[in-house]
Amino acid sequence: MPNKILEYRKIIELVDENAKILDLGCGDGSLMFELKTKRNARVQGIERDEKLIYVCVEKDLTVFHSSIENAITAYPGNCFDYVILYNTFQQIESIDTIIKECFRIGKHAIVSFPNFAYISARKDLLFGKSPVTKNLPYQWYDSPNLRFLSIKDFENFCCKNNYKILNSFFFREKKEIAFFPNLLAQTATFVISK
Amino acid sequence: MENPNSIGTVETQYVTFDNLTLCSGKELRKVIVAYETYGKLNASKSNAILIDHAFTGDAHAAGFHKGAEKPGWWDSMIGPGKAFDTNKYFVICSNVLGGCAGTTGPSSINPQNNKRYALDFPFITISDMVVLQKKLTDFLGIEKLLSVAGGSMGGMQVLQWAVSFPEKIRSAIPISTTMKHSPQQIAFNEVARQAIMADADWNDGDYYGKRQPVKGLSVARMMGHITYMSDKSMEDKFSRDLKNRNYSFSFNPDFEVEGYLNYQGSVFVKRFDANSYLYITKAMDYFDVSGNNFLKKDTDNINFLIISFASDWLYLPYQSEEIIRTLALSNCKATYIEIKSSYGHDAFLIEIEDETKLIRHFLSKLYKEVGSA
């Protein structure tokens, strides 16, 4: 995501020194690596793409090659300070189950996702096309995204399930923004707890 | 042998230990261990890696024996610049207890009566094998191993090290293995044992100086080979290719796959002892470090790299995944990867490039932490 550097910086600021962290869909491990080096965090990743496992091992990261749904059940209760869903939330099939699992094994969940109600996505829809933006770069036929949610949707989801929103950050063009995030933010990062 | 990537000429060495107490309560006297070492032990003795061989392997893991054309069984992984880089690490491999390639086994001479053990050889376990390896590493003056690595039954020994001597290893690399033999795996072994014991030449294990139960042992090996391959790798290798142009309408081997298996069987009986086959398969069947058997306090400090292969139907990926699932319950640092491969169980001897990428990085990070003094 274009706002990645900024989002990483935010997430790193958020977590405590020596925190225990599970990164669901950790990709090439770049976020885990930063958390490890800058926060001395004890990080563990879950990633389904074999090629990315090699990259993580190169970075001396520990990673469980598996789908999130399968791997998350392996961990005992309350063993993480944070469970991270960075840019993977929108690709999860059973959101309800996974979030419940996150709170079974961890205190906080950090969720980052592209905002489907961002103005240029709205424009695309207005002109009758499925949105293709910097943060939703896929065509309708090749998108790994299963969920197309807006910031408002996520807030409603938390409200309905009684999840507390402890913090939220919104980003546009590599800058943090505060006004009208559901219209003007490309991506959002939430810290939630039960 | 001028090859810069090869260790060059190596020699098997031997050491004798006075006694070894086994899980069964029995005791073995004058136990010989055949082993090889590659590379140099550093001053702080922190660069030693133990390689555990699979079922029918031996101590000759890398390099060439004098005059030999073929290198050791994992030469592609062990040597200068390879996954187990002998420029950096001191690599040890020993033949397992119960084997027939130098270490004491049922074909060895029983010092109590100067006859070959045969069925007087006591029953052994994977744990007994590891206790003997520990004696070897003590003898070599190694306080703590940088790593223990191995595939298949070698992987079982790796896991057993983590259970028996967690404080003696910094990392573990179990490959294509399991925490316990499943009923299917026990079943394959039992059929193999029955094939050997059904051969009249087996003679209740008393065949030394006479004829090995060649037929039974080769059938056992043939079946083994089927389980080491996959449907896809057999299709790729043999398809339905015929040895001759037409069907023979006889029970002679018509198909390439039959010829291959017969050949593998006939080669195997020249190098492997039938009683060793019986004892070692039994040791594998008894193996179970699953669940609570596994996690000990000191396991926490071990770094694990767990590797499985997608098409392995003998030691299935879910069995390797069970290792990381068990470790997830502790504070262990563990990485698990299922490598895409069509080679079945044999993949751990074939998919060198992928394994090298993983193991090289995994070890070098550890080695840096330990300090390469």
Side-chain angles (χ1 to χ4, degrees):
Chain A
M1 299 208 280
N3 300 317
K4 192 160 106 174
I5 295 169
L6 200 56
E7 286 162 336
Y8 277 16
R9 206 181 297 154
K10 270 285 170 216
I11 294 172
I12 293 158
E13 276 171 26
L14 281 169
V15 306
D16 308 318
E17 204 72 23
N18 306 317
K20 286 184 196 157
I21 301 173
L22 181 67
D23 189 349
L24 304 177
C26 64
D28 66 2
S30 50
L31 178 56
M32 290 205 294
F33 185 77
E34 299 232 352
L35 289 164
K36 191 179 162 183
T37 46
K38 295 190 175 140
R39 277 283 178 260
N40 194 34
R42 192 163 174 139
V43 284
Q44 168 84 42
I46 295 173
E47 176 52 50
R48 65 180 171 192
D49 185 344
E50 185 192 323
K51 282 189 225 85
L52 297 172
I53 307 289
Y54 298 95
V55 186
C56 289
V57 170
E58 249 176 70
K59 293 178 179 152
D60 193 24
L61 298 165
T62 54
V63 52
F64 185 164
H65 181 201
S66 165
S67 70
I68 292 171
E69 287 81 356
N70 173 54
I72 199 167
T73 60
Y75 298 93
N78 303 315
C79 66
F80 293 104
D81 299 310
Y82 300 93
V83 180
I84 297 177
L85 281 152
Y86 181 83
N87 206 21
T88 41
F89 186 68
Q90 73 276 13
Q91 295 174 13
I92 286 170
E93 200 173 329
S94 41
I95 297 266
D96 253 341
T97 321
I98 294 299
I99 294 290
K100 275 185 196 136
E101 278 293 284
C102 286
F103 289 132
R104 179 184 66 79
I105 63 174
K107 284 189 211 119
H108 312 282
I110 299 175
V111 182
S112 293
F113 58 89
N115 177 24
F116 199 72
Y118 175 56
I119 186 160
S120 68
R122 293 188 193 200
K123 246 187 263 166
D124 278 347
L125 278 172
L126 190 66
F127 290 109
K129 290 188 303 181
S130 291
V132 178
T133 69
K134 275 182 200 156
N135 298 286
L136 293 159
Y138 308 101
Q139 298 291 336
W140 61 271
Y141 48 82
D142 64 5
S143 176
N145 297 335
L146 299 172
R147 309 286 166 200
F148 302 94
L149 72 156
S150 67
I151 289 168
K152 200 184 252 174
D153 289 333
F154 186 75
E155 287 168 343
N156 290 341
F157 170 79
C158 291
C159 182
K160 190 184 147 245
N161 291 289
N162 289 322
Y163 299 139
K164 288 184 212 122
I165 296 176
L166 304 178
N167 249 322
S168 53
F169 308 95
F170 310 106
F171 306 94
R172 178 189 187 171
E173 297 298 326
K174 299 171 189 167
K175 283 195 189 77
E176 192 176 345
I177 61 161
F179 293 109
F180 304 111
N182 200 41
L183 180 68
L184 299 177
Q186 294 166 321
T187 59
T189 297
F190 284 85
V191 184
I192 59 174
S193 76
K194 210 158 57 170
Chain B
M1 260 161 260
E2 298 289 304
N3 188 344
N5 296 322
S6 171
I7 300 162
T9 310
V10 296
E11 222 176 299
T12 307
Q13 292 165 281
Y14 301 88
V15 56
T16 306
F17 298 104
D18 279 342
N19 51 55
L20 177 71
T21 308
L22 305 169
C23 284
S24 64
K26 295 256 167 70
E27 198 166 328
L28 269 173
R29 297 265 167 82
K30 300 280 173 211
V31 183
I32 300 166
V33 178
Y35 70 98
E36 294 190 3
T37 67
Y38 321 109
K40 281 201 184 97
L41 189 61
N42 63 11
S44 58
K45 299 183 177 177
S46 61
N47 68 336
I49 297 172
L50 179 71
I51 303 293
D52 286 321
H53 70 70
F55 176 20
T56 65
D58 54 33
H60 182 36
F64 293 83
H65 282 168
K66 209 173 176 183
E69 276 173 27
K70 275 175 91 181
W73 59 269
W74 224 12
D75 187 74
S76 51
M77 291 287 284
I78 305 164
K82 294 179 185 172
F84 299 97
D85 187 348
T86 49
N87 289 333
K88 286 164 81 174
Y89 311 118
F90 178 64
V91 180
I92 309 155
C93 183
S94 67
N95 186 214
V96 294
L97 178 67
C100 49
T103 295
T104 298
S107 59
S108 304
I109 303 285
N110 181 349
Q112 278 166 327
N113 58 14
N114 283 323
K115 282 191 206 153
R116 290 181 193 268
Y117 280 103
L119 293 202
D120 285 339
F121 195 73
F123 278 82
I124 50 162
T125 63
I126 299 291
S127 164
D128 295 329
M129 295 175 185
V130 165
V131 169
L132 186 58
Q133 287 165 8
K134 166 74 168 33
K135 280 181 188 278
L136 174 65
T137 56
D138 285 347
F139 164 77
L140 295 170
I142 294 148
E143 182 62 30
K144 192 165 188 168
L145 289 159
L146 182 67
S147 196
V148 196
S152 198
M153 189 183 85
M156 294 179 210
Q157 294 160 65
V158 170
L159 296 175
Q160 187 67 55
W161 265 91
V163 174
S164 300
F165 306 109
E167 72 289 356
K168 296 289 177 194
I169 61 174
R170 285 180 209 283
S171 70
I173 311 177
I175 306 170
S176 308
T177 193
T178 179
M179 299 183 89
K180 58 169 186 255
H181 244 208
S182 69
Q184 179 175 289
Q185 288 151 351
I186 295 169
F188 281 130
N189 275 350
E190 175 60 5
V191 175
R193 283 189 294 265
Q194 289 298 336
I196 291 168
M197 294 187 290
D199 187 329
D201 287 337
W202 180 61
N203 193 27
D204 287 326
D206 181 18
Y207 53 80
Y208 298 110
K210 300 169 208 157
R211 226 169 90 93
Q212 259 237 105
V214 164
K215 281 196 178 136
L217 183 58
S218 100
V219 168
R221 180 61 169 179
M222 286 163 78
M223 196 188 58
H225 263 281
I226 301 168
T227 64
Y228 305 153
M229 294 184 279
S230 73
D231 177 56
K232 170 95 168 54
S233 68
M234 289 179 92
E235 177 60 37
D236 292 347
K237 193 166 184 161
F238 313 110
S239 192
R240 282 179 58 83
D241 295 350
L242 294 169
K243 288 168 71 71
N244 299 306
R245 198 168 289 176
N246 298 308
Y247 292 169
S248 70
F249 295 104
S250 77
F251 290 118
N252 295 323
D254 280 314
F255 296 95
E256 285 289 355
V257 63
E258 295 171 300
Y260 171 84
L261 289 176
N262 281 309
Y263 171 76
Q264 290 296 340
S266 68
V267 178
F268 184 67
V269 297
K270 286 181 199 139
R271 73 169 177 91
F272 210 82
D273 174 57
N275 286 335
S276 274
Y277 203 107
L278 298 176
Y279 277 94
I280 296 175
T281 52
K282 203 71 193 173
M284 284 193 267
D285 291 350
Y286 285 150
F287 182 67
D288 181 2
V289 293
S290 63
N292 292 335
N293 298 340
F294 196 67
L295 294 170
K296 303 261 171 73
K297 214 177 90 219
D298 288 325
T299 328
D300 268 13
N301 302 319
I302 306 170
N303 267 356
F304 281 83
L305 174 62
I306 306 150
I307 302 172
S308 74
F309 294 91
S311 57
D312 187 345
W313 62 282
L314 182 58
Y315 292 94
L316 291 120
Y318 86 83
Q319 293 179 302
S320 284
E321 200 187 292
E322 195 193 337
I323 305 167
I324 191 172
R325 295 187 83 91
T326 306
L327 291 169
L329 299 173
S330 76
N331 259 327
C332 251
K333 283 184 76 182
T335 284
Y336 168 66
I337 182 168
E338 179 187 318
I339 297 176
K340 209 170 173 208
S341 165
S342 60
Y343 289 110
H345 187 55
D346 273 339
F348 86 93
L349 297 167
I350 300 170
E351 300 287 4
I352 298 307
E353 209 187 309
D354 290 340
E355 285 180 303
T356 299
K357 266 190 275 180
L358 295 163
I359 292 171
R360 180 187 285 149
H361 287 292
F362 178 77
L363 290 176
S364 74
K365 291 282 159 47
L366 271 172
Y367 191 44
K368 243 180 235 162
E369 277 170 35
V370 176
S372 40

